[in-house]
Amino acid sequence: MSPIVYYGAVINPVSLTSLKALPRCLLAVASTGNIDWIVEDVEDSMVQETMAAHGYIDVDVVCLREGEFLMPGFFDTHTHAPQVPNMGSGQQYELLDWLENITFPMESRFSDPEYARSTYPSVVRRIIDSGTTTCCYFGTIHLEATKILAEIVHESGQRAFVGKCNMNQNSPAHYIEPSADASISATKTLFSHIKQLPPHPHSAEPLVQPILTPRFAITCTSALLKSLGELAASDPNLRIQTHVSENPDEPSKIAFTMSLFPECSSYTGVYETYGILRENTILAHGVHLNDEELALIAKRRAGISHCPTSNFNLNSGVAPIGLYLDRGIKVALGTDVSGGYSPSILNAIQNASIASKVIAMRHRGEAAAPGAFSNRQLSVASLLYLSTLGGAELCNVEKSVGSFSTGMSFDALVVSVRNDAGNPAMWGSDSAPRDLAGMLEQFFFTGDDRNISRVYVQGKLIGGTVFTR
């Protein structure tokens, strides 16, 4: 890959309360796919001189059009690859009935490797073209199907964490692992398979990595959780993903959990007891956490994948994300397909905004501490952060991806809010000019995959409307 320079509008997350909107930015990507240098404000007449000062002579320049901007790629920190065919189905159910009637029957189909091979390419393509450059995938319990998923993700060029579900109790007879030993053996085999995929020559870490994936506490025996904890202890860099406190029916479920694990003090405490709650643990949902659990999550520096579309869709509740942020807990966004009905993080952004407004309405008129997030709606800057750099922090890759700075990977989107993007929900910026921050807001609340023209990972074009397969 040859070096390339991008000139035009760039949006970059800074913190939960601020972003940089740079209308005349010059950003250079080296042949490694890493960002070589950035100059934030360059007049048109100074582009070539600025490039020459950095040793870039006879290097291609991509000039963004009016109504286009660059931004870091999205992180989807929780989704279920085998559930994509079920998107939009089972709207009448809440979580447990939805699992029984919709989800587990679909996931069982992946016992057939050929079904996985024919289905997963479209799954991964839809997620990439929706702007997700890094994705945390739950597979199924099936080793071969999950190996196929990892291979397809790798071939696509997406950055991802891929896990095989561990579940050996309290699961349907047609969808359960035979024993703790069998579950661990298949998990280790998957890890070896993923680690043998060809490495990217310039990425700080392999683009596709394994992730330990106990589905949730109830589906794992003590013996299995103990073995999973030992496997986690053998590799401190191994990421872990699971579910916690998702649904309002879970007080009875929590009571059941406590009956299964009487040595533990809480649902979250089960994961703590067995050594799978740590800095690189992603806890999906966390809608109904108590103060003890929040303190434990913060102490271990684990984080929450906020899946608001799914939480609304399955009547699970509204997670008080502002409170979690105020408690110092890492938070990012997840689509949770197919509890969530869209593979796009844009949909999660929109529903995260609505969820925060619901919380704010419940507390209207109450005094809030200066600078606090609790009981307040999320700003556009916060939504940008949660969908990009916040995701990188939750996945513990924020030193290499999630924002634009020198030495970081160029994982990026070229976004168009022009009329010629063809999105009828968007009044194009060429009809009603907006400042750059306004264009970002417009993209967040009326955009879809038609507005994502290019998707890059490690400097390589892997998706978007201009991508040819």
Side-chain angles (χ1 to χ4, degrees), residues 282-343:
I282 300 169
L283 299 166
H285 302 290
V287 180
H288 305 284
L289 296 166
N290 62 38
D291 284 343
E292 176 190 340
E293 290 177 291
L294 293 178
L296 182 57
I297 292 167
K299 179 180 179 181
R300 294 297 177 224
R301 298 208 70 249
I304 302 293
S305 176
H306 179 36
C307 305
T309 305
S310 174
N311 295 340
F312 283 135
N313 198 39
L314 296 176
N315 294 323
S316 296
V318 184
I321 292 305
L323 171 64
Y324 299 170
L325 294 173
D326 286 342
R327 296 287 289 267
I329 294 172
K330 296 182 290 187
V331 177
L333 299 182
T335 59
D336 192 34
V337 167
S338 65
Y341 46 76
S342 170

Side-chain angles (χ1 to χ4, degrees), residues 46 54 56 73 100 104 128 174 185 234 237 244 278 367 398 402 435 461:
M46 295 297 293
H54 287 85
Y56 274 55
E100 179 181 352
F104 289 152
I128 290 173
H174 61 84
S185 176
S234 71
N237 294 318
V244 71
R278 62 188 192 186
E398 72 276 9
D435 63 16
L461 178 67

Side-chain angles (χ1 to χ4, degrees), residues 3-287:
I4 193 166
V5 174
Y6 297 87
Y7 179 64
V10 171
I11 290 174
N12 203 18
V14 176
S15 71
L16 282 161
T17 57
S18 65
L19 59 85
K20 286 187 175 180
L22 309 168
R24 298 177 300 192
C25 184
L26 204 58
L27 186 152
V29 180
S31 57
T32 61
N34 292 326
I35 297 171
D36 201 6
W37 48 267
I38 301 173
V39 181
E40 294 186 348
D41 189 14
V42 180
E43 296 283 352
D44 290 0
S45 60
M46 295 297 293
V47 168
Q48 292 299 325
E49 184 176 332
T50 304
M51 290 173 56
H54 287 85
Y56 274 55
I57 299 170
D58 295 328
V59 173
D60 289 340
V61 179
V62 174
C63 294
L64 302 178
R65 298 180 297 169
E66 185 70 29
E68 293 181 330
F69 60 86
L70 270 175
M71 63 171 287
F74 290 136
F75 276 70
D76 186 345
T77 59
H78 180 67
T79 203
H80 295 262
Q83 294 179 22
V84 169
N86 275 343
M87 288 188 299
S89 301
Q91 307 301 301
Q92 69 272 33
Y93 296 118
E94 292 192 12
L95 176 63
L96 299 181
D97 289 337
W98 172 80
L99 287 170
E100 179 181 352
N101 292 285
I102 301 295
T103 300
F104 289 152
M106 171 55 72
E107 292 193 16
S108 296
R109 297 186 65 180
F110 287 83
S111 61
D112 178 5
E114 289 310 309
Y115 183 74
R117 205 176 303 279
S118 65
T119 302
Y120 279 145
S122 177
V123 168
V124 175
R125 174 50 46 201
R126 289 164 192 246
I127 292 171
I128 290 173
D129 287 343
S130 295
T132 297
T133 52
T134 301
C135 192
C136 297
Y137 287 106
F138 274 62
T140 60
I141 63 173
H142 310 108
L143 172 61
E144 291 306 315
T146 311
K147 287 165 66 174
I148 290 166
L149 172 61
E151 291 165 1
I152 289 167
V153 171
H154 182 269
E155 290 165 5
S156 76
Q158 188 182 37
R159 200 180 298 275
F161 300 92
V162 178
K164 182 199 74 64
C165 282
N166 303 106
M167 41 194 293
N168 72 328
Q169 70 171 357
N170 298 314
S171 303
H174 61 84
Y175 192 53
I176 190 170
E177 295 182 287
S179 67
D181 287 344
S183 181
I184 291 296
S185 176
T187 298
K188 289 179 177 179
T189 301
L190 175 67
F191 285 8
S192 295
H193 181 77
I194 292 175
K195 290 175 181 178
Q196 290 170 7
L197 294 172
H200 191 286
H202 304 298
S203 178
E205 295 185 279
L207 291 185
V208 180
Q209 298 185 55
I211 185 167
L212 201 64
T213 309
R215 190 170 199 126
F216 47 82
I218 288 174
T219 62
C220 300
T221 61
S222 295
L224 178 53
L225 285 175
K226 182 176 182 293
S227 295
L228 290 170
E230 291 169 351
L231 185 55
S234 71
D235 183 0
N237 294 318
L238 177 65
R239 279 73 172 183
I240 303 165
Q241 60 181 356
T242 190
H243 298 81
V244 71
S245 295
E246 179 177 355
N247 189 270
D249 287 338
E250 290 198 90
S252 60
K253 188 175 170 186
I254 290 169
F256 183 38
T257 303
M258 295 300 94
S259 72
L260 294 172
F261 305 101
E263 72 279 15
C264 304
S265 60
S266 66
Y267 193 156
T268 304
V270 174
Y271 301 131
E272 162 76 359
T273 297
Y274 287 95
I276 51 181
L277 185 72
R278 62 188 192 186
E279 185 177 9
N280 48 14
T281 298
I282 300 169
L283 299 166
H285 302 290
V287 180

